[in-house]
Amino acid sequence: MEQTKCLIIGSGPAGYTAAIYASRANLSPIEYCGMQPGGQLTQTTEVENFPGYPQGVDGNQMMMDIREQAERFGADIRDGEIVRVDFSQRPYKAWDDAGREIEADTVIIATGASAKYLGLDDERKYNGMGVSACATCDGFFYRKKTVAVVGGGDTACEDALYLSGLAKKVYMIVRKPFLRASKVMQQRVMERENIEILFEHNTLGLFGTDGVEGAHLVKRKGEADEQLVDIQIDGFFLAIGHKPNTDIFKEWLDTDDIGYFKKIDGTPRTKLPGIFVAGDCADPVYRQAISAAGSGCQAAIEAERFLLG
């Protein structure tokens, strides 16, 4: 069994930034990177909105840079996953996928969230080549182009409105014959001239040689008047929600209906003393690299103060 003052679970901007701050505070943190080292940003080809990279930066490269910075200050960063925890008393216990047990005085959870996909093979095939789950991250690359947004809720409407300010044309691909979004969001979308809503449409697949060039859709699937429809698009945006990676902690910590951690008074603190949350696993609103990094900094500072306290 190993012991540490600070265990960080998850990587990405939140986890790696927490590791930088915890290391510089002499907490000698152990960090587990999880199933997707570097987090969701490793699925993004270019990041242009993170301060300090005036020419933009490859998502993988940026995560390697931040990881290297944490390691420079002595963080023990490990590939592998924490699969079980026992938060019944301090020091808290965690077990990794190799069966190792770790005892920690403080824990920072930065396990992120995973975008929900339709489950099409083409989504993987064109990932980073026209398929995206983050309009605010990647919309800039589709200026004066044609894009499609999948979904009919508030997030889909927000993404469509955001993209309509950049793209020439935005399709909304909506399964149902109506939008689930709030009335005000519905009205804004309906009034935007370059947004076309395709009600009762499902996506069958995508096509294109060097990236997405179009989508195969089916209208009124399973009905007598079912119809196959192809649309020409340059980008395909998923807006059907995110799933926070919080399942193994739900026995111990409070989450909302979707699974996002509940924080105390907007801080990284949770109901358990010495356990803090950071990044997208506790943020259903902003979901940006810079806000995740900021929350990782806050969590590490809270951990340091808790240990001093």
Side-chain angles (χ1 to χ4, degrees):
M1 183 178 63
E2 285 185 278
Q3 291 175 308
T4 180
K5 290 178 188 168
C6 181
L7 172 65
I8 300 168
I9 306 174
S11 47
Y16 286 154
T17 303
I20 291 171
Y21 277 78
S23 300
R24 294 185 77 244
N26 288 329
L27 302 189
S28 306
I30 295 173
E31 177 177 13
Y32 276 86
C33 287
M35 288 291 283
Q36 191 178 34
Q40 291 182 82
L41 272 195
T42 57
Q43 302 291 305
T44 304
T45 44
E46 194 161 5
V47 179
E48 290 195 324
N49 55 6
F50 199 92
Y53 293 100
Q55 303 305 317
V57 61
D58 174 82
N60 279 289
Q61 184 60 51
M62 183 174 126
M63 287 300 94
M64 286 194 292
D65 288 348
I66 304 179
R67 174 175 178 153
E68 197 179 309
Q69 194 172 350
E71 287 176 326
R72 182 185 144 215
F73 295 117
D76 178 355
I77 300 179
R78 304 174 179 182
D79 293 324
E81 192 179 6
I82 295 295
V83 294
R84 185 163 73 90
V85 296
D86 179 357
F87 291 166
S88 56
Q89 61 183 39
R90 289 187 61 233
Y92 300 116
K93 293 184 173 67
W95 290 264
D96 69 14
D97 47 8
R100 278 180 295 199
E101 182 183 344
I102 292 159
E103 271 194 355
D105 296 323
T106 62
V107 179
I108 295 171
I109 304 170
T111 45
S114 303
K116 291 181 184 171
Y117 285 81
L118 297 171
L120 305 171
D121 289 340
D122 288 340
E123 288 171 317
R124 280 196 297 275
K125 178 180 174 184
Y126 294 107
N127 202 0
M129 299 165 59
V131 171
S132 171
C134 183
T136 47
C137 310
D138 299 327
F140 187 74
F141 302 113
Y142 297 92
R143 282 169 302 168
K144 299 187 169 50
K145 294 186 177 181
T146 301
V147 298
V149 174
V150 182
D154 277 340
T155 302
C157 287
E158 280 174 24
D159 285 1
L161 287 164
Y162 175 78
L163 290 165
S164 72
L166 298 164
K168 178 175 66 181
K169 164 114 187 189
V170 179
Y171 290 105
M172 286 188 74
I173 303 170
V174 184
R175 274 187 312 133
K176 297 187 178 337
F178 56 86
L179 292 172
R180 288 183 295 106
S182 59
K183 287 282 182 278
V184 64
M185 292 303 286
Q186 289 187 41
Q187 191 175 346
R188 284 178 191 161
V189 163
M190 302 283 193
E191 289 170 355
R192 195 62 61 94
E193 284 179 10
N194 62 338
I195 295 178
E196 181 181 342
I197 305 173
L198 304 175
F199 288 113
E200 295 185 272
H201 282 67
N202 282 279
T203 308
L204 297 175
L206 304 167
F207 60 88
T209 43
D210 296 320
V212 172
E213 291 172 15
H216 300 300
L217 310 178
V218 57
K219 183 180 181 182
R220 289 178 58 77
K221 187 179 180 182
E223 302 296 326
D225 57 350
E226 177 180 303
Q227 186 184 346
L228 295 175
V229 180
D230 279 4
I231 56 171
Q232 303 294 314
I233 54 171
D234 304 291
F236 185 78
F237 288 86
L238 280 303
I240 52 176
H242 284 72
K243 184 185 185 303
N245 304 318
T246 57
D247 286 353
I248 68 166
F249 309 105
K250 283 184 177 174
E251 181 185 346
W252 312 101
L253 298 172
D254 293 336
T255 64
D256 67 10
D257 294 342
I258 300 169
Y260 289 97
F261 287 123
K262 288 183 178 176
K263 300 185 286 188
I264 293 176
D265 299 333
T267 70
R269 295 195 295 273
T270 66
K271 69 176 185 182
L272 293 180
I275 295 185
F276 308 98
V277 292
D280 284 14
C281 61
D283 176 16
V285 180
Y286 300 107
R287 297 202 306 265
Q288 297 299 303
I290 190 69
S291 50
S295 70
C297 156
Q298 292 173 336
I301 290 172
E302 289 281 357
E304 181 192 6
R305 287 177 179 168
F306 176 82
L307 290 168
L308 287 172

